[in-house]
Every structure is written in C-alpha cells, then in structure tokens.
DNA sequence: GTATACATGACAATCTTGTGACAGGCACTT
DNA sequence: AAGTGCCTGTCACAAGATTGTCATGTATAC
C-alpha cells in the first residue's frame, strides 16, 4: 500500500508538529501549511489524500478554504477533517455544511486523531484506489499496480496507468483535456492539452482491441470511459 | 465561450506589450496597468478573471497588492500569477503566502505563460451544476455528455447536443431562429438564420422516429420543444 | 393557384482528433 | 563516462467529423 498523504493546515507550528509526529508514526506522508493560500498551493501541487484543517486561522479561515475546495472540480473529492478548539454545536454544523467529512475538537489525543482519520479515509477512498476495479474483463489492481485483460497482463506505462485508473474510478462521465491534466498529471504542471490525446492513444493501444471501445472520444469536449457504446 | 479577461500589471511597457500580444493570440481579453493604484481601479471596474502581477514595482509593490486583494472580500477569489525576475525560493514562498496561485520567473516563454495561465483558470473556475433531463424516454445527461433514447445511446453532433440541451431545459416555449442563435450558438456569431433549420433537421434525424415529434415547427415564428402534440 | 415558409440533400471549408516520428530526460548498466 | 532502454511531451501531417450555405423540393395559408 502506498502511503497516504495528509496535509495539515494550522497556523500554530507546535500543533502542526505534534500532529505530524503522530501521523508519521502511523506511516502517513505529511505536508504542512500555516495558512489557507499556502495550503491551496500544496493541494494543487501535491494532491494529498486528506486535509486536516484548523477552523480558526488568520486570513482566510478554515471554513472558507473548505468551501472553496468543495467548489472546485479538481478538489471537490478531497476529504476534510476540521480541527477546532471550541466544542460548540454551531461550528460543527457550519463545518459540515462547508463540506467537512469529520470534525475533531481540541484537545484530542493522537490516537483519536489517527483513528478518525483512518475512518474517513476508509469511507471516502473510492474503489479502485486500493481495491481492484474490473470492467468487462479488464482488471486494474492498485495493489500489484497491474492491469490485465482476461487474466492476461498488459504492458502499460505509468501515465497510462494513472489515466486508466482515473477513468475506471470515474466512469460514465466526460472529462475535458484540461480536467484530465488536473486530475491525472497534477495541478501545476504545464503541458499541452493535446498531449492528452497522445496518451489516450497510447492507452487505447495498450488496452488492445477487446477494450478499445471503453475509452471514448467525445468530440468537441474530451474523453469518457464508458461500457456503453 | 466568453473570452476570459486578464489584467497585466507591470511597470515596464515593453513587457506588458509582449505579454499582451501573447495573450491576445490565445484569445484572451487583455487589460494593462503600470502601477498598483491603476491596477486596483481596473480590477474594481472590469472584474478581470485573472491577474498577472509583477513582483517588483515602484510604489506599492506586487506582493503588497496581492496581499491587499486577498484581504478584500470582493477580490479575494481573483486568481493571481506573480511574475518575477529573480528565481529565488524566498520570493516564491513569500509570493504564495501573499496569496498568489502560481508563480513564473522571468524570462519565460509566451507558451509557458499561456499554459500556466490556462491551468490556473481551469482550476479556479467553479464547476457548473449539471443534472440530467429526461422526457418520454429521451435522456440527456450532461455529466456523461450523452443522449439516449430508452437506454440506447444516440449519435449526436456537438451543435445538435447544445441545441437539444437548450430545448430540454426550456420546454414548451417557442424560440425564433434569432433567439436560438443567441442561446445555442452564442451572442456574437454571424450565421444565417436558415442554418438553424438545418440543425433542427439534423437533430430530428438524430433523435429518430420515436422522438421526432418533440421538436416542433411553429410556422412563421420558429421552433419549440414540447411533449404535447 | 400562388406566394411564402420550411425541409432536405449535397458540398466545400473548417475544426478536431488520430497517428507516427522524434528529441530530451532519467535511471540503470556497462 | 558513455551507452542503453524507457517514458514523455510536442510536432506535423493525415484522417475524419462538423458546420454553414445553397439549390431545390414540399407543405401551408390565403
């Protein structure tokens, strides 16, 4: 299992440090940010798997950031756990409305934190990230990082693998080249949109005749993974 | 698609010009300012979609302006790309802290600039809410960008798709050819009104026998989408 | 019956996408 | 260090699909 990346956003370095240590002990990869802007930049660049967000921060506060992230296509799926010093019900409601997936009130024990974090990841991690996905004999198994067609292993490059993984976990939906770049290549890369075409072609080629039709061109828009013709 | 507006703030006219040309080639609308005050005025007046901001400027410098914009409610969402001659890490950090969304060091190629600008705009543009519409077994699903008749996918071109989408979200109402051109083709295109007829025909053909009757001709006026005969 | 409005098929221009080739970057070996 | 193999991103050109128009056929209203 590849280590999950968690981004901690809190303005107090001491708290970040405390959490970071706890998470690293639990084998997570940890990123830190002390304000909303830096956090946003890191999210775009590093695509963390989960966000630990302090509710009260100078400048753009936690709720604000959460709301913004849920609003943007590329980050709307990112699970968020809010941290707060106050245990008021109000905050909880506001937080959940803003799109937080869970909520922890300070003070909390590292054990508790890790436990809830694990729980959130478990229920928000879509199939295909850890579990295998299978469609019409085409099997993608994240554990072994392999793709096979009716049991026969396929030769597939890293980018094509990520592209296929994204598609198989987001079926029946069109994505523009731009969205694919965001989701598969990662936020801050600067790559020609047409490059997507080339990788689509490589992916199709790798899938071979029997599964070609799953990767569909939507003229004037982008591409789609679909079992329907 | 309406062209996005980009405001360039730099004290050197030559650089502004260079950038402006590159952006105009890429179909952006360009505004220019040579100092922070003018920039602020333009931002308020014109509400650009993105700001290209030079880091070093006489008077209020770039960082200062960025920080100020992020602080004000009305402009806090405005994406900012910082331009700088120095490639020091320090600046990058300061810049991102001030709220910049990306960062480009001079010298840069117009290509790179446009690419990164596109990337920033892509991820800051909120996604639209898209819901499927269904009428008498005819289903149009914006998420998958697909039209199906009783579960059977239909072949449909881009323009016909937009036309159908417009009709299905504006049922039981007549539209003149002119109105359809405005709504479906977009405001400022010059196209013969008769062209609408042709696309109506193509749409009817694509829908096939079972749904032909939904697209109705209103003699002397235009067309209508209606479930009633 | 005749004028008007709409439907239809054909077509060339234009856009979009598919494809093969290529050069640079990187990791690993020799 | 140089060599090798693999992966990537980009380009140029080919292939294909879409688009707007026109000429002509057909329905409709008066």
């Amino acid at each position: 299992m590849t280590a999950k990346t968690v981004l901690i956003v809190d303005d107090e370095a001491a708290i970040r440090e405390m959490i970071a240590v706890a998470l690293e002990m639990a084998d997570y990869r940890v990123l830190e940010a002390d304000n909303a802007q830096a956090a946003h930049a890191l999210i775009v660049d590093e695509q963390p798997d989960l966000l630990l967000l302090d509710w009260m921060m100078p400048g753009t506060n936690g709720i604000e950031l959460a709301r913004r992230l849920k609003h943007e296509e590329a980050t709307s799926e990112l699970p968020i756990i809010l941290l707060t010093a106050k245990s008021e019900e109000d905050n909880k409601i506001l937080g959940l409305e803003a799109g937080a997936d869970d909520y922890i009130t300070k003070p909390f024990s590292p054990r508790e934190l890790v436990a809830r974090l694990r729980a959130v990841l478990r229920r928000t991690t879509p199939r295909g990230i850890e579990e295998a996905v299978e469609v019409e004999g085409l099997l993608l198994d994240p554990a072994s990082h392999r793709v096979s067609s009716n049991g026969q292993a396929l030769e597939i490059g890293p980018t094509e693998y990520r592209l296929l993984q994204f598609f198989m976990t987001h079926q029946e939906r069109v994505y523009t080249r731009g969205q694919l770049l965001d989701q598969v290549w990662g936020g801050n890369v600067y790559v020609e949109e047409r490059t997507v075409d080339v990788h689509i072609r490589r992916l199709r080629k790798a899938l071979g005749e029997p599964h070609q039709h799953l990767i569909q061109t939507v003229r004037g828009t982008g591409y789609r993974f679909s079992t329907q013709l």
Side-chain angles (χ1 to χ4, degrees), chain A:
Chain A
M1 195 197 337
T2 358
K4 296 279 188 176
T5 302
V6 177
L7 171 60
I8 307 170
V9 188
D10 195 313
D11 54 320
E12 291 177 66
I15 295 187
R16 287 205 308 276
E17 198 49 38
M18 192 267 283
I19 298 176
V21 169
L23 294 186
E24 273 160 6
M25 297 253 293
D27 279 330
Y28 290 97
R29 183 170 156 248
V30 178
L31 302 173
E32 300 181 29
D34 68 353
N35 67 75
Q37 279 71 39
H40 193 264
L42 272 172
I43 290 165
V44 170
D45 283 353
E46 302 282 339
Q47 302 188 252
D49 300 292
L50 187 139
L51 186 60
L52 274 175
L53 182 57
D54 189 24
W55 145 278
M56 287 299 274
M57 281 195 304
T60 308
N61 68 39
I63 295 286
E64 203 50 57
L65 177 62
R67 195 167 284 133
R68 190 160 140 218
L69 292 172
K70 288 296 168 184
H71 228 66
E72 291 173 22
E73 164 82 32
T75 54
S76 65
E77 299 283 300
L78 177 65
I80 299 176
I81 298 180
L82 276 184
L83 306 175
T84 178
K86 304 168 189 172
S87 61
E88 296 162 18
E89 269 302 297
D90 292 357
N91 289 359
K92 179 160 185 178
I93 292 166
L94 270 174
L96 294 177
E97 266 180 4
D101 294 82
D102 201 355
Y103 187 87
I104 304 186
T105 55
K106 299 177 191 173
F108 47 80
S109 70
R111 276 178 57 78
E112 180 185 0
L113 176 70
V114 172
R116 303 187 70 157
L117 190 145
R118 207 172 268 146
V120 168
L121 277 176
R122 194 183 318 124
R123 72 162 182 271
T124 55
T125 302
R127 229 170 7 124
I129 301 299
E130 293 179 334
E131 281 170 66
V133 218
E134 191 261 320
V135 170
E136 296 183 3
L138 178 67
L139 178 75
L140 178 138
D141 179 22
S144 62
H145 207 271
R146 304 197 93 196
V147 180
S148 62
S149 170
N150 301 311
Q152 168 83 57
L154 296 179
E155 283 282 322
I156 189 169
T159 305
E160 282 68 58
Y161 178 88
R162 291 202 310 281
L163 187 57
L164 180 61
Q165 180 174 44
F166 177 75
F167 271 135
M168 292 189 78
T169 51
H170 298 81
Q171 302 183 21
E172 305 296 342
R173 196 167 177 348
V174 216
Y175 290 93
T176 63
R177 294 174 174 73
Q179 290 172 320
L180 290 172
L181 284 177
D182 276 354
Q183 302 282 333
V184 178
W185 274 253
N188 263 338
V189 287
Y190 109 78
V191 173
E192 281 296 319
E193 295 214 333
R194 289 293 261 99
T195 296
V196 174
D197 295 32
V198 178
H199 282 277
I200 287 281
R201 165 174 153 276
R202 287 169 181 160
L203 176 55
R204 282 174 171 156
K205 202 169 180 179
L207 293 184
E209 208 33 76
H211 302 293
Q212 293 265 351
H213 68 279
L214 293 169
I215 310 289
Q216 305 173 348
T217 303
V218 181
R219 223 146 211 282
T221 305
Y223 297 96
R224 169 178 62 201
F225 183 99
S226 167
T227 55
Q228 296 175 62
L229 189 65

